[in-house]
Amino acid sequence: MPAGFNTGQIEYIKAIANVNGHKTYKDVAYNRNATASAVTHLNQQTADNMVRYGVWCLGKKPVLRDSSGNIGVTTLPLHELDAFNIPKSANSDGVVDETQREGDEGFLESTHLNMRLLLPHLDGTSTFTQDHTEFRMIVFRARDRQHHLETHLKDTNNFMFNLFRGNRNHGIGFSGHQEKEDVAGNLSYISRSNPADSGLFNVQGQDAMTVPINKESWIVMRDHRFYLGKEYGGKNIYEDSFHWDWKDPIATSSPDVTETDNEKNYTWYIALISNNNSLTVQDSPLVSVRFTGTTHMTSG
């Protein structure tokens, strides 16, 4: 909704537009029914094999820029959270299911997610051997609109190259770094995988736990660390929740309600990074990650 409208004004606009009649509750789920046994969703690792990480995004994977300057990256190491696929009802009798919306127009109200992270041992099929596993969770988005359609795209920043800020003021990430602007104002990504470059031109090992976020390119909702393992009383479960109050008018015939002209950036990322802080042993915790939640929309 445009800046300056309070809650009462938004409700009045919705009433005038007659979009309060039907409420839609879109189920959002990832790995809902997985068992606690050997499931590894932190399926990416740094070049030095010392850190594992996984990244989830709200909605479909966006198209971004790669190290060759091409737009259209679809092979990013991302798990999609299906939060915005809310199709229109096709029922001729006027009865609309609560998982669908009525017509093209409506209001995207909110998305709520619950996350449960488990180091498995409670199911009795595996032994809890990790003495100490440190996690860092970062919830972030680009400053301008990212999208899976190039026609809706305004921001091509690739977090694999510039999520963090390096010691020489470069944007850096797990895959390399972002060069500083040349005299023409152009930026480029450089792939760098040498562990010796960590903190300078990429992110490896323990640097992943402390390297600062590049806030020139990214907006951060949350950035914090937590610990699981035998050293912490056998604690093996971490739970958290996330909430987005969108309050946005939507007008689209597409099932994906982000394919609208309000220019809002709905592509939020949730990154989980793990490290056992060993200088010699590869970190490979078996981690089960589950998301469940709801996207709420009104229409009709």
Side-chain angles (χ1 to χ4, degrees), residues 53-57 115 135-141 159 163-165 172 174 203 207-215 218-226 238 240 242 244 268-274 291:
Y53 62 94
V55 186
W56 288 256
C57 70
M115 184 192 78
F135 292 88
R136 182 179 184 181
M137 181 174 68
I138 308 171
V139 184
F140 63 100
R141 69 164 173 86
F159 62 86
L163 175 58
F164 305 104
R165 177 64 63 186
I172 61 175
F174 293 118
V203 177
D207 288 336
M209 295 295 127
T210 57
V211 62
I213 303 292
N214 170 18
K215 294 185 178 179
W218 304 96
I219 292 175
V220 180
M221 175 194 289
R222 198 173 303 177
D223 178 13
H224 73 267
R225 289 182 287 167
F226 57 94
Y238 177 84
D240 213 328
F242 317 91
W244 292 269
W268 282 86
Y269 304 95
I270 301 172
L272 284 170
I273 307 167
S274 71
F291 289 93

Side-chain angles (χ1 to χ4, degrees), residues 3-68:
F5 288 96
N6 60 37
T7 301
Q9 290 170 322
I10 292 173
E11 292 303 317
Y12 175 75
I13 293 169
K14 288 162 62 178
I16 293 298
N18 193 30
V19 293
N20 275 314
H22 180 71
K23 298 184 184 299
T24 303
Y25 297 95
K26 159 67 176 174
D27 174 53
V28 184
Y30 175 88
N31 191 35
R32 185 206 308 273
N33 298 315
T35 64
S37 57
V39 180
T40 302
H41 296 284
L42 306 190
N43 56 350
Q44 304 295 317
Q45 60 186 28
T46 52
D48 62 358
N49 296 328
M50 303 304 291
V51 167
R52 291 185 179 271
Y53 62 94
V55 186
W56 288 256
C57 70
L58 282 186
K60 297 178 181 178
K61 294 181 182 180
V63 290
L64 303 178
R65 182 159 48 99
D66 63 15
S67 59
S68 299

Side-chain angles (χ1 to χ4, degrees), residues 165-172 180 192 199-201:
R165 177 64 63 186
N167 297 340
R168 293 180 181 172
N169 207 35
H170 288 90
I172 61 175
K180 297 178 181 178
R192 298 285 283 266
L200 299 174
F201 301 114

Side-chain angles (χ1 to χ4, degrees), residues 21-209:
H22 180 71
K23 298 184 184 299
T24 303
Y25 297 95
K26 159 67 176 174
D27 174 53
V28 184
Y30 175 88
N31 191 35
R32 185 206 308 273
N33 298 315
T35 64
S37 57
V39 180
T40 302
H41 296 284
L42 306 190
N43 56 350
Q44 304 295 317
Q45 60 186 28
T46 52
D48 62 358
N49 296 328
M50 303 304 291
V51 167
R52 291 185 179 271
Y53 62 94
V55 186
W56 288 256
C57 70
L58 282 186
K60 297 178 181 178
K61 294 181 182 180
V63 290
L64 303 178
R65 182 159 48 99
D66 63 15
S67 59
S68 299
N70 299 316
I71 304 298
V73 176
T74 57
T75 57
L76 288 170
L78 284 170
H79 306 287
E80 295 178 346
L81 297 172
D82 182 15
F84 303 117
N85 182 33
I86 306 176
K88 294 190 299 180
S89 173
N91 291 346
S92 59
D93 58 7
V95 177
V96 183
D97 187 86
E98 65 178 8
T99 63
Q100 298 177 323
R101 71 184 200 266
E102 186 175 354
D104 291 349
E105 298 182 357
F107 268 75
L108 186 60
E109 303 286 359
S110 64
T111 298
H112 185 85
L113 285 179
N114 299 307
M115 184 192 78
R116 182 177 174 88
L117 182 151
L118 173 69
L119 290 182
H121 79 290
L122 294 179
D123 63 346
T125 63
S126 55
T127 303
F128 191 52
T129 59
Q130 291 89 356
D131 290 333
H132 169 122
T133 301
E134 180 181 9
F135 292 88
R136 182 179 184 181
M137 181 174 68
I138 308 171
V139 184
F140 63 100
R141 69 164 173 86
R143 288 198 167 271
D144 214 332
R145 191 180 195 184
Q146 296 192 322
H147 205 270
H148 59 275
L149 297 179
E150 289 190 39
T151 53
H152 290 61
L153 182 66
K154 287 192 171 184
D155 193 317
T156 61
N157 272 295
N158 188 332
F159 62 86
M160 293 296 289
F161 291 91
N162 71 353
L163 175 58
F164 305 104
R165 177 64 63 186
N167 297 340
R168 293 180 181 172
N169 207 35
H170 288 90
I172 61 175
F174 293 118
S175 294
H177 73 283
Q178 176 181 285
E179 286 281 83
K180 297 178 181 178
E181 290 186 12
D182 60 22
V183 293
N186 299 315
L187 297 171
S188 60
Y189 294 146
I190 309 297
S191 296
R192 298 285 283 266
S193 59
N194 187 348
D197 291 331
S198 182
L200 299 174
F201 301 114
N202 61 35
V203 177
Q204 309 279 336
Q206 296 183 34
D207 288 336
M209 295 295 127

